[in-house]
Coordinates of all heavy atoms in Angstrom, one line a residue:
V476 N 20.2 31.2 -72.4 CA 19.5 30.1 -71.8 C 18.2 29.8 -72.7 O 17.5 30.7 -73.0 CB 19.0 30.4 -70.4 CG1 18.1 29.3 -69.9 CG2 20.2 30.4 -69.5
Q477 N 18.0 28.5 -73.1 CA 16.9 28.2 -74.0 C 15.8 27.6 -73.2 O 16.0 27.1 -72.1 CB 17.4 27.1 -75.0 CG 18.5 27.6 -75.9 CD 18.1 28.7 -76.8 OE1 17.1 28.7 -77.4 NE2 18.9 29.8 -76.8
P478 N 14.6 27.6 -73.7 CA 13.4 27.0 -73.1 C 13.7 25.5 -72.8 O 14.3 24.8 -73.7 CB 12.3 27.2 -74.1 CG 12.7 28.4 -74.9 CD 14.2 28.3 -75.0
G479 N 13.3 25.0 -71.7 CA 13.5 23.6 -71.3 C 13.5 23.4 -69.9 O 13.1 24.3 -69.1
Y480 N 14.0 22.3 -69.4 CA 14.1 21.9 -68.0 C 15.5 21.9 -67.5 O 16.4 21.3 -68.2 CB 13.4 20.6 -67.8 CG 11.9 20.6 -68.1 CD1 11.4 20.4 -69.4 CD2 11.0 20.9 -67.1 CE1 10.1 20.4 -69.7 CE2 9.6 20.9 -67.4 CZ 9.2 20.7 -68.7 OH 7.8 20.8 -68.9
Y481 N 15.8 22.4 -66.3 CA 17.1 22.5 -65.8 C 17.2 21.9 -64.4 O 16.3 22.2 -63.6 CB 17.6 23.9 -65.9 CG 17.7 24.5 -67.3 CD1 16.6 24.9 -67.9 CD2 18.9 24.4 -67.9 CE1 16.7 25.4 -69.3 CE2 19.0 24.9 -69.2 CZ 17.9 25.4 -69.9 OH 18.0 25.8 -71.2
L482 N 18.2 21.2 -64.1 CA 18.4 20.6 -62.8 C 19.3 21.6 -62.0 O 20.5 21.7 -62.4 CB 19.1 19.2 -62.9 CG 19.2 18.5 -61.5 CD1 17.8 18.1 -61.0 CD2 20.0 17.2 -61.8
L483 N 18.8 22.2 -60.9 CA 19.5 23.2 -60.2 C 19.6 22.8 -58.7 O 18.6 22.2 -58.2 CB 18.9 24.6 -60.3 CG 18.6 25.1 -61.7 CD1 18.0 26.5 -61.6 CD2 20.0 25.2 -62.5
P484 N 20.7 23.1 -58.1 CA 20.8 22.8 -56.6 C 19.9 23.7 -55.8 O 19.6 24.9 -56.3 CB 22.3 23.1 -56.3 CG 22.7 24.1 -57.3 CD 22.0 23.7 -58.6
S485 N 19.3 23.3 -54.8 CA 18.4 24.1 -53.9 C 19.2 24.7 -52.8 O 20.3 24.3 -52.4 CB 17.3 23.2 -53.4 OG 17.8 22.2 -52.5
H486 N 18.6 25.8 -52.3 CA 19.1 26.5 -51.1 C 20.6 27.0 -51.4 O 21.4 26.8 -50.5 CB 19.0 25.7 -49.8 CG 17.6 25.3 -49.4 ND1 16.8 26.2 -48.7 CD2 16.9 24.2 -49.7 CE1 15.7 25.6 -48.5 NE2 15.7 24.4 -49.1
V487 N 20.8 27.7 -52.5 CA 22.1 28.2 -52.8 C 22.0 29.7 -53.0 O 20.9 30.2 -53.4 CB 22.7 27.5 -54.1 CG1 23.0 26.0 -53.8 CG2 21.8 27.7 -55.3
P488 N 23.1 30.4 -52.9 CA 23.2 31.8 -53.3 C 22.7 32.0 -54.7 O 23.0 31.1 -55.6 CB 24.6 32.2 -53.1 CG 25.2 31.2 -52.1 CD 24.5 29.9 -52.4
A489 N 22.1 33.1 -55.0 CA 21.5 33.4 -56.3 C 22.6 33.3 -57.4 O 22.4 32.8 -58.5 CB 20.8 34.7 -56.3
S490 N 23.8 33.8 -57.1 CA 24.9 33.8 -58.1 C 25.2 32.4 -58.5 O 25.5 32.1 -59.6 CB 26.1 34.5 -57.5 OG 26.6 33.8 -56.3
E491 N 25.2 31.4 -57.5 CA 25.4 30.0 -57.8 C 24.3 29.4 -58.6 O 24.5 28.6 -59.5 CB 25.7 29.2 -56.5 CG 26.9 29.6 -55.8 CD 27.1 28.8 -54.5 OE1 26.5 27.7 -54.4 OE2 27.9 29.2 -53.6
A492 N 23.1 29.8 -58.3 CA 21.9 29.3 -59.1 C 22.0 29.7 -60.5 O 21.7 28.9 -61.4 CB 20.6 29.8 -58.4
V493 N 22.3 31.0 -60.8 CA 22.4 31.5 -62.1 C 23.6 30.8 -62.9 O 23.4 30.4 -64.0 CB 22.6 33.0 -62.1 CG1 22.8 33.5 -63.6 CG2 21.3 33.7 -61.6
A494 N 24.7 30.6 -62.2 CA 25.8 30.0 -62.8 C 25.5 28.5 -63.2 O 25.9 28.0 -64.2 CB 27.0 30.0 -61.9
A495 N 24.7 27.9 -62.3 CA 24.3 26.5 -62.7 C 23.3 26.5 -63.8 O 23.4 25.6 -64.7 CB 23.6 25.9 -61.4
L496 N 22.4 27.5 -63.9 CA 21.4 27.5 -64.9 C 22.0 27.7 -66.3 O 21.6 27.1 -67.3 CB 20.4 28.7 -64.7 CG 19.4 28.9 -65.7 CD1 18.4 27.7 -65.9 CD2 18.6 30.2 -65.4
V497 N 23.1 28.5 -66.4 CA 23.7 28.8 -67.7 C 24.7 27.7 -68.2 O 25.2 27.7 -69.3 CB 24.4 30.2 -67.7 CG1 23.4 31.3 -67.4 CG2 25.6 30.2 -66.7
D498 N 24.9 26.7 -67.3 CA 25.8 25.6 -67.6 C 25.0 24.6 -68.5 O 24.0 24.1 -68.1 CB 26.3 24.9 -66.4 CG 27.3 23.8 -66.6 OD1 27.4 23.4 -67.8 OD2 27.9 23.3 -65.7
P499 N 25.4 24.3 -69.7 CA 24.7 23.4 -70.6 C 24.4 22.1 -70.0 O 23.4 21.4 -70.3 CB 25.6 23.3 -71.8 CG 26.4 24.6 -71.9 CD 26.6 24.9 -70.4
A500 N 25.3 21.6 -69.1 CA 25.1 20.3 -68.4 C 23.9 20.3 -67.5 O 23.4 19.2 -67.1 CB 26.3 20.0 -67.6
A501 N 23.3 21.4 -67.2 CA 22.2 21.5 -66.3 C 20.9 21.1 -67.0 O 19.9 20.8 -66.3 CB 22.0 22.9 -65.6
R502 N 20.9 21.2 -68.3 CA 19.6 20.9 -69.0 C 19.3 19.4 -69.0 O 20.2 18.5 -69.2 CB 19.7 21.3 -70.5 CG 18.4 21.3 -71.2 CD 18.5 22.1 -72.5 NE 17.2 22.1 -73.2 CZ 17.0 22.8 -74.3 NH1 17.9 23.4 -74.9 NH2 15.8 22.8 -74.8
V503 N 18.1 19.1 -68.7 CA 17.6 17.7 -68.6 C 16.3 17.5 -69.3 O 15.7 18.5 -69.7 CB 17.4 17.3 -67.1 CG1 18.8 17.2 -66.3 CG2 16.5 18.2 -66.4
G504 N 16.0 16.2 -69.6 CA 14.7 16.0 -70.2 C 14.6 16.4 -71.7 O 13.6 16.7 -72.2
S505 N 15.8 16.5 -72.3 CA 15.9 16.9 -73.7 C 16.2 15.7 -74.6 O 17.1 15.0 -74.3 CB 16.9 18.0 -73.9 OG 17.0 18.4 -75.2
V506 N 15.4 15.5 -75.7 CA 15.6 14.4 -76.5 C 15.2 14.7 -78.0 O 14.4 15.6 -78.2 CB 14.7 13.2 -76.1 CG1 13.2 13.5 -76.2 CG2 15.0 11.9 -76.8
V507 N 16.0 14.2 -78.9 CA 15.7 14.3 -80.3 C 15.2 13.0 -80.9 O 15.9 12.0 -80.7 CB 17.0 14.8 -81.1 CG1 16.7 14.9 -82.6 CG2 17.4 16.2 -80.6
I508 N 14.0 13.0 -81.5 CA 13.5 11.8 -82.1 C 13.6 12.0 -83.6 O 13.0 13.0 -84.2 CB 12.0 11.6 -81.7 CG1 12.0 11.4 -80.2 CG2 11.4 10.5 -82.4 CD1 10.5 11.3 -79.6
S509 N 14.3 11.2 -84.3 CA 14.6 11.3 -85.7 C 13.4 10.8 -86.5 O 12.6 9.9 -86.0 CB 15.9 10.6 -86.1 OG 15.8 9.3 -85.8
E510 N 13.3 11.2 -87.7 CA 12.3 10.7 -88.6 C 12.4 9.2 -88.8 O 13.5 8.7 -89.0 CB 12.3 11.4 -90.0 CG 12.1 12.9 -89.9 CD 13.3 13.7 -89.6 OE1 14.3 13.1 -89.2 OE2 13.2 14.9 -89.7
G511 N 11.3 8.4 -88.8 CA 11.4 7.0 -89.0 C 11.7 6.2 -87.8 O 11.9 5.0 -87.9
R512 N 11.8 6.8 -86.6 CA 12.1 6.1 -85.4 C 10.9 5.3 -84.9 O 9.8 5.8 -85.0 CB 12.5 7.1 -84.3 CG 13.1 6.5 -83.1 CD 14.5 6.0 -83.2 NE 15.5 7.1 -83.5 CZ 16.8 6.9 -83.5 NH1 17.3 5.8 -83.1 NH2 17.6 7.9 -83.9
Q513 N 11.1 4.1 -84.4 CA 10.1 3.3 -83.8 C 10.0 3.4 -82.3 O 11.0 3.9 -81.7 CB 10.3 1.8 -84.2 CG 10.2 1.5 -85.7 CD 10.6 0.1 -86.0 OE1 10.8 -0.3 -87.2 NE2 10.6 -0.8 -85.0
L514 N 8.9 3.0 -81.7 CA 8.8 3.0 -80.3 C 9.9 2.1 -79.6 O 10.4 2.4 -78.6 CB 7.4 2.5 -79.8 CG 6.2 3.4 -80.1 CD1 4.9 2.7 -79.7 CD2 6.4 4.7 -79.3
H515 N 10.1 0.9 -80.2 CA 11.0 -0.1 -79.6 C 12.3 -0.2 -80.4 O 12.4 0.2 -81.5 CB 10.3 -1.4 -79.6 CG 8.9 -1.4 -78.9 ND1 7.7 -1.3 -79.6 CD2 8.6 -1.4 -77.6 CE1 6.7 -1.2 -78.7 NE2 7.2 -1.3 -77.5
D516 N 13.3 -0.7 -79.7 CA 14.6 -0.9 -80.3 C 14.5 -1.9 -81.5 O 13.6 -2.8 -81.5 CB 15.6 -1.5 -79.3 CG 15.8 -0.6 -78.1 OD1 15.4 0.6 -78.2 OD2 16.4 -1.0 -77.1
S517 N 15.3 -1.7 -82.5 CA 15.4 -2.7 -83.6 C 16.9 -2.9 -83.9 O 17.7 -2.1 -83.6 CB 14.7 -2.1 -84.8 OG 15.2 -0.9 -85.3
S518 N 17.1 -4.0 -84.6 CA 18.5 -4.3 -84.9 C 18.7 -4.5 -86.4 O 17.8 -4.9 -87.1 CB 19.0 -5.6 -84.2 OG 18.2 -6.7 -84.6
D519 N 19.9 -4.1 -86.9 CA 20.2 -4.3 -88.3 C 20.6 -5.7 -88.6 O 21.5 -6.3 -87.9 CB 21.3 -3.3 -88.7 CG 21.6 -3.3 -90.2 OD1 22.2 -4.3 -90.7 OD2 21.1 -2.4 -90.9
V520 N 20.0 -6.4 -89.5 CA 20.2 -7.8 -89.8 C 21.7 -8.0 -90.2 O 22.3 -9.0 -89.8 CB 19.3 -8.3 -90.9 CG1 19.7 -9.7 -91.4 CG2 17.8 -8.3 -90.4
N521 N 22.2 -7.1 -91.0 CA 23.6 -7.3 -91.5 C 24.7 -6.9 -90.5 O 25.7 -7.6 -90.4 CB 23.8 -6.4 -92.8 CG 22.8 -6.9 -93.9 OD1 22.8 -8.1 -94.2 ND2 22.1 -6.0 -94.5
T522 N 24.5 -5.8 -89.8 CA 25.6 -5.4 -88.9 C 25.3 -5.7 -87.4 O 26.2 -5.5 -86.6 CB 25.7 -3.8 -89.0 OG1 24.5 -3.2 -88.5 CG2 26.0 -3.4 -90.5
E523 N 24.1 -6.1 -87.1 CA 23.6 -6.3 -85.7 C 23.7 -5.0 -84.9 O 23.5 -5.1 -83.6 CB 24.5 -7.4 -85.1 CG 24.4 -8.8 -85.7 CD 25.1 -9.8 -85.0 OE1 25.9 -9.5 -84.0 OE2 25.0 -11.0 -85.4
A524 N 23.8 -3.9 -85.5 CA 23.8 -2.6 -84.8 C 22.3 -2.4 -84.3 O 21.4 -2.7 -85.0 CB 24.2 -1.5 -85.7
V525 N 22.2 -1.9 -83.0 CA 20.9 -1.7 -82.4 C 20.5 -0.2 -82.7 O 21.3 0.7 -82.4 CB 20.9 -2.0 -80.9 CG1 19.6 -1.6 -80.3 CG2 21.2 -3.5 -80.7
K526 N 19.4 0.0 -83.2 CA 18.8 1.3 -83.3 C 17.9 1.6 -82.2 O 16.8 0.9 -82.0 CB 18.1 1.5 -84.7 CG 17.6 2.9 -84.9 CD 16.9 3.0 -86.3 CE 16.5 4.4 -86.6 NZ 15.9 4.5 -88.0
K527 N 18.2 2.5 -81.3 CA 17.4 2.8 -80.1 C 16.0 3.3 -80.5 O 15.8 4.2 -81.4 CB 18.1 3.9 -79.3 CG 19.4 3.4 -78.7 CD 20.1 4.5 -77.9 CE 21.4 4.0 -77.3 NZ 22.1 5.1 -76.6
G528 N 15.0 2.7 -79.8 CA 13.7 3.2 -80.0 C 13.3 4.4 -79.2 O 14.1 4.8 -78.3
I529 N 12.1 4.9 -79.4 CA 11.7 6.1 -78.7 C 11.7 5.9 -77.2 O 12.1 6.8 -76.4 CB 10.3 6.6 -79.2 CG1 10.5 7.1 -80.6 CG2 9.8 7.7 -78.3 CD1 9.1 7.4 -81.3
Y530 N 11.2 4.7 -76.7 CA 11.2 4.5 -75.3 C 12.6 4.4 -74.7 O 12.8 4.9 -73.5 CB 10.4 3.2 -75.0 CG 8.9 3.3 -75.2 CD1 8.2 2.1 -75.5 CD2 8.2 4.5 -75.2 CE1 6.8 2.2 -75.7 CE2 6.9 4.5 -75.4 CZ 6.2 3.4 -75.7 OH 4.8 3.4 -75.9
T531 N 13.5 3.9 -75.4 CA 14.9 3.9 -74.9 C 15.5 5.3 -74.8 O 16.1 5.7 -73.8 CB 15.8 3.1 -75.8 OG1 15.4 1.7 -75.7 CG2 17.3 3.2 -75.3
L532 N 15.2 6.1 -75.8 CA 15.7 7.5 -75.9 C 15.0 8.3 -74.7 O 15.7 9.1 -74.1 CB 15.3 8.2 -77.2 CG 16.0 7.6 -78.4 CD1 15.5 8.3 -79.7 CD2 17.6 7.7 -78.3
L533 N 13.8 8.1 -74.5 CA 13.1 8.8 -73.4 C 13.7 8.4 -72.0 O 13.9 9.2 -71.1 CB 11.6 8.6 -73.4 CG 10.8 9.1 -74.6 CD1 9.4 8.8 -74.5 CD2 11.0 10.7 -74.6
S534 N 14.0 7.1 -71.9 CA 14.5 6.6 -70.6 C 15.9 7.2 -70.4 O 16.2 7.7 -69.2 CB 14.7 5.1 -70.7 OG 15.3 4.6 -69.5
E535 N 16.7 7.3 -71.4 CA 18.0 7.9 -71.2 C 17.9 9.4 -70.9 O 18.7 10.0 -70.0 CB 18.9 7.7 -72.5 CG 19.3 6.3 -72.7 CD 20.0 6.1 -74.0 OE1 20.0 7.0 -74.8 OE2 20.5 5.0 -74.2

Side-chain angles (χ1 to χ4, degrees):
V476 173
Q477 299 297 309
Y480 295 87
Y481 295 82
L482 187 66
L483 305 180
S485 63
H486 296 278
V487 293
S490 59
E491 293 182 19
V493 172
L496 176 63
V497 302
D498 184 349
R502 191 166 183 178
V503 293
S505 180
V506 64
V507 175
I508 297 174
S509 59
E510 296 85 351
R512 188 78 61 168
Q513 297 176 194
L514 288 176
H515 305 98
D516 297 349
S517 60
S518 59
D519 188 282
V520 170
N521 295 309
T522 66
E523 297 185 354
V525 174
K526 185 176 183 180
K527 295 177 181 178
I529 292 174
Y530 289 157
T531 293
L532 296 177
L533 293 178
S534 176
E535 292 176 349

